[in-house]
Amino acid sequence: MSWYTKDGCDGASARSRITLVDWDATYPNKYRKILLVEATGTAAAPNFQDVKIHAGGVSWYGDYLYVADTGHGMRVFDMRKILKTDTGGTAGQIGRQSDGTTYYAHNYAYVLPQVGTITAATTSGTPLAWSTISLDRVSKSIVMTEYTCSSGCTDYPNRAPRAVRFPFASGATTFAASTTASQALQLPWYKLNGVASHNGRWWFNSSGSKQLYYWTPADGAHTYAWVGGGESISYWEDDANPDLLWSLQETVGHRNVFAVTQATYGA
C-alpha cells in the first residue's frame, strides 16, 4: 500500500512511501515501510531526493511497481533495486552525506529509487487526474479512474470522472514506449477513490458517498453500501476459494486493510 506525507496539515506533498506486508501463515505477519525516492547527482556521486507526490495508489506487476501521480500519470519503481540506507542522522536528513559514503533517508532503513515515469495525454485536451490505479491480471492492463466533484470543489475537477484502461506491451510487464488506451468510460459517480476490473467487470468505490459500484456492459450498474474513507481496490482471483476485493481506509483511527468476497457482496 502507498502513503504520502504533507508539509503541514494543509501543505503540499512532502514525501511518499510504501508498506510491504510479508503475509505468511507460518509466522506472525511482518511489515516494512520503504521510502520512495528519485535519483539525483551523477554516476560518480549518486544521490536521491524525496518523491513529492500524492501517491494515490499502487500496482505491482512483475518486477515493477506503478504509483499513481495525480497530475501526471505514474511513477515506476523496480522492486529489484531496494537499497539499504543508514538509519542514523536526523528525521530531516535525506540523501548522500558529506563523507561520500553515508546515505540517510529520514531514518528509514530502505529506499526504493524511481526508474521511470509514465505521462498521459487526451485528444479532448482535458488532462486525466490519476487518482487511483489497479492491475487487471486477466487482460494484462492497468485501469485508472479520477476523483472529481459534481460541483463546488476547489482542489479537484468539477466534472464527470473517467475510467481508462492502458494495456501492457504484449508478453511484458511494462508498457510500450507509446501506448493507446484500449477502453475508456465516462462515469455517473463522483469522489471515486478506488477502481478494479476483471473479465469485463468494473468496480468503483466512492469515499464521499460510502458506496461501492458494480458495472458490466450487459448487466448495467448496481450500488452497494461501502466503508467511509475507502481507498484503492484490488481484485484478487483465487482458483480454490471465492475471488476477493481488497481495499483499505485512510481515516485516522480507521486505517484498516480488508477484503470482501466479490461474488456475494451486497447480495
Side-chain angles (χ1 to χ4, degrees):
M1 61 176 295
S2 61
W3 308 71
Y4 71 99
T5 301
K6 287 184 176 181
D7 183 14
C9 291
D10 296 314
S13 298
R15 67 185 69 155
S16 307
R17 74 182 184 197
I18 59 171
T19 299
L20 299 180
V21 179
D22 187 4
W23 193 297
D24 195 307
T26 62
Y27 55 81
N29 297 329
K30 297 181 179 181
Y31 69 91
R32 171 68 70 177
K33 297 173 183 177
I34 301 173
L35 189 71
L36 300 181
V37 298
E38 54 182 328
T40 62
T42 64
N47 206 346
F48 54 77
Q49 64 186 15
D50 285 306
V51 173
K52 298 179 180 181
I53 63 172
H54 183 136
V58 295
S59 290
W60 184 358
Y61 192 40
D63 294 321
Y64 297 99
L65 185 77
Y66 298 91
V67 182
D69 183 355
T70 311
H72 301 92
M74 293 182 287
R75 305 286 186 108
V76 187
F77 301 82
D78 190 334
M79 296 297 287
R80 298 167 296 183
K81 299 183 182 295
I82 297 174
L83 303 179
K84 183 76 173 69
T85 50
D86 194 311
T87 56
T90 67
Q93 288 181 292
I94 182 171
R96 180 187 178 100
Q97 302 304 299
S98 57
D99 63 6
T101 59
T102 302
Y103 289 82
Y104 291 144
H106 304 305
N107 303 132
Y108 284 80
Y110 296 92
V111 299
L112 180 59
Q114 178 180 308
V115 297
T117 58
I118 295 173
T119 59
T122 66
T123 55
S124 70
T126 304
L128 291 172
W130 290 72
S131 300
T132 184
I133 61 176
S134 184
L135 173 64
D136 185 338
R137 294 174 177 83
V138 175
S139 68
K140 296 179 174 55
S141 61
I142 279 183
V143 294
M144 60 79 65
T145 196
E146 303 175 295
Y147 186 102
T148 69
C149 303
S150 58
S151 63
C153 279
T154 56
D155 295 330
Y156 303 98
N158 292 283
R159 55 171 173 77
R162 296 162 291 185
V164 184
R165 180 188 304 278
F166 292 95
F168 288 100
S170 179
T173 60
T174 57
F175 292 97
S178 179
T179 299
T180 300
S182 58
Q183 188 177 13
L185 309 173
Q186 182 164 300
L187 306 173
W189 309 298
Y190 295 91
K191 298 182 179 179
L192 299 178
N193 282 52
V195 60
S197 181
H198 183 83
N199 283 335
R201 293 169 286 169
W202 288 78
W203 294 93
F204 304 92
N205 82 278
S206 169
S207 59
S209 300
K210 299 182 182 179
Q211 303 283 5
L212 179 70
Y213 308 107
Y214 169 81
W215 179 82
T216 69
D219 299 332
H222 300 273
T223 302
Y224 307 110
W226 198 239
V227 298
E231 289 292 309
S232 295
I233 307 173
S234 178
Y235 192 107
W236 188 262
E237 189 176 21
D238 194 313
D239 293 334
N241 298 294
D243 292 350
L244 297 175
L245 283 177
W246 284 92
S247 189
L248 66 155
Q249 294 173 275
E250 71 168 347
T251 50
V252 175
H254 299 280
R255 287 177 177 159
N256 309 298
V257 177
F258 64 94
V260 300
T261 54
Q262 67 82 28
T264 58
Y265 186 81

